[in-house]
Amino acid sequence: MGIIQEEKQRAYVQHNLRTPLTVIKGSVDMLEQYSGTNVISLEKEKQILMRIQEQISRMEQFLLEL
């Protein structure tokens, strides 16, 4: 595989991970904003935040390893 092809693949992967990361981070911010309200149970809110934060860390680590 040529260098140009590898660079295109890397750019594609990075773009397609950064976009969801941005959305996930925004979701975390929104959940934190509604923390303690009756819109969502506190326990469920904590579970969602933990799951999202784990995925953010996982994708960021993947990007660093590219």
Side-chain angles (χ1 to χ4, degrees):
M1 192 179 326
I3 293 175
I4 293 173
Q5 183 65 26
E6 289 177 17
E7 289 174 1
K8 285 182 180 181
Q9 286 181 338
R10 181 175 295 155
Y12 175 79
V13 169
Q14 288 176 341
H15 170 75
N16 283 290
L17 289 177
R18 284 190 178 123
T19 300
L21 276 173
T22 300
V23 172
I24 291 169
K25 286 179 180 182
S27 297
V28 169
D29 290 342
M30 287 177 57
L31 283 172
E32 288 174 338
Q33 180 181 359
Y34 290 112
S35 179
T37 68
N38 292 330
V39 176
I40 191 169
S41 74
L42 185 57
E43 188 59 35
K44 184 67 174 173
E45 184 178 298
K46 287 180 182 181
Q47 290 172 357
I48 293 168
L49 283 169
M50 186 184 299
R51 191 176 315 130
I52 291 171
Q53 290 169 337
E54 287 170 358
Q55 292 303 310
I56 290 169
S57 296
R58 191 172 166 187
M59 286 188 281
E60 287 176 332
Q61 183 61 38
F62 177 75
L63 284 172
L64 289 174
E65 293 174 3
L66 288 177

